[in-house]
Amino acid sequence: LVSLMGCARIYTILGRTGLLPPYMSRISRSRGTPANATVVTGISAGLLTFLFDIEILAELVSIGTLFVFSFVAGSILVKHYGQEISGRSNIPGLVVRMAVQSLLSIGLCLCVMDEKWMGVLALSAIFLVVTASYYVIPRKKFDLKFAVPMVPIVPSLCILFNVYLISSLGVWAYVRFFIWNFVGLCVYFFYGVMHTREPTSEELSGQTYRKTRGGIALMDIKRDSLREDTVLLSGERSA
């Protein structure tokens, strides 16, 4: 149920950016909610539930959610440590570290399932060494209202737990996941690429909103969903 509530909002943002038809980003005048995206979400969820076994859908939702959480953890590490050092970007080194952490997480899952406890200890020690290696990288300083605590420990543990859980799923979960991602990539390359655009300098400043067909505000970098919905609703009423 939580995924369904969030899915409608994701469709709304994708509609505003042009990655999905603008129809998906329409806001209800009376309720101030993404009515069209909610209807599409409900219909698609009902059809999937009717056509597929609930365990298959649960595995698909689980692997997708864990995969996204892993990328979020990785993006935190890149945000805090990704920079140019001596004229060269250190992001490739960060990617290698995160890839090693993911492989170690898979190995830990396999060792636990096979009850190879010495392997668990060895891989855990290596994982700690890789996590500690982030401390040798200069870290950026941010003036944020909220920042993830204990970086890089928390993001590294997030990668560990998420990849570990992904590794515990069956082979068919991976097959369905890659098929579903292939469908999403097809939508992106055959529709989204041709209908989205880069924000202008005025939109980057967060001061203006350009409207497309049907009064749909496109995305700018400084998101303010409440202000966007207000702009959309006022535009529809005046029309």
Side-chain angles (χ1 to χ4, degrees):
L1 293 177
V2 174
S3 299
L4 290 178
M5 293 182 64
C7 188
R9 273 63 183 175
I10 293 173
Y11 286 161
T12 303
I13 298 301
L14 293 178
R16 290 177 182 174
T17 61
L19 293 173
L20 287 179
Y23 170 85
M24 299 295 291
S25 61
R26 298 286 176 84
I27 303 298
S28 171
R29 298 182 185 181
S30 59
R31 296 177 176 83
T33 57
N36 294 344
T38 302
V39 171
V40 172
T41 300
I43 293 175
S44 59
L47 288 175
L48 289 173
T49 306
F50 178 76
L51 296 174
F52 297 98
D53 186 81
I54 191 65
E55 292 185 1
I56 295 176
L57 295 177
E59 281 191 348
L60 190 58
V61 171
S62 296
I63 191 173
T65 304
L66 294 170
F67 186 79
V68 171
F69 286 170
S70 300
F71 264 83
V72 171
S75 68
I76 293 173
L77 292 172
V78 172
K79 181 179 180 64
H80 282 266
Y81 294 101
Q83 56 187 307
E84 288 190 359
I85 300 177
S86 301
R88 298 182 61 182
S89 174
N90 66 343
I91 292 181
L94 295 176
V95 173
V96 171
R97 284 177 170 85
M98 289 183 284
V100 172
Q101 287 178 318
S102 299
L103 292 175
L104 290 172
S105 302
I106 296 173
L108 281 169
C109 180
L110 297 176
C111 288
V112 170
M113 289 190 294
D114 293 337
E115 297 184 355
K116 297 180 179 179
W117 306 117
M118 291 301 298
V120 171
L121 292 175
L123 293 177
S124 300
I126 299 174
F127 189 92
L128 290 174
V129 171
V130 176
T131 301
S133 68
Y134 288 102
Y135 286 102
V136 303
I137 305 174
R139 181 177 171 181
K140 296 180 181 178
K141 294 183 178 180
F142 298 99
D143 184 16
L144 302 174
K145 293 182 179 179
F146 173 80
V148 177
M150 299 176 64
V151 176
I153 297 175
V154 171
S156 296
L157 289 177
C158 184
I159 293 175
L160 170 63
F161 296 147
N162 288 324
V163 177
Y164 181 95
L165 292 174
I166 291 174
S167 303
S168 65
L169 298 174
V171 175
W172 282 107
Y174 308 132
V175 174
R176 300 183 193 103
F177 176 72
F178 284 114
I179 292 175
W180 193 245
N181 275 273
F182 176 76
V183 173
L185 289 174
C186 289
V187 173
Y188 175 74
F189 284 110
F190 291 104
Y191 181 87
V193 169
M194 296 180 289
H195 292 82
T196 191
R197 66 174 182 83
E198 292 291 333
T200 63
S201 57
E202 291 180 344
E203 290 170 333
L204 288 174
S205 65
Q207 300 300 319
T208 62
Y209 285 81
R210 188 174 75 85
K211 294 184 178 180
T212 62
R213 296 185 301 274
I216 304 304
L218 295 181
M219 179 187 73
D220 65 6
I221 296 301
K222 295 182 179 180
R223 307 300 299 170
D224 188 339
S225 297
L226 180 59
R227 184 157 63 100
E228 288 177 357
D229 292 348
T230 304
V231 171
L232 291 176
L233 289 171
S234 61
E236 289 180 2
R237 291 194 181 100
S238 61

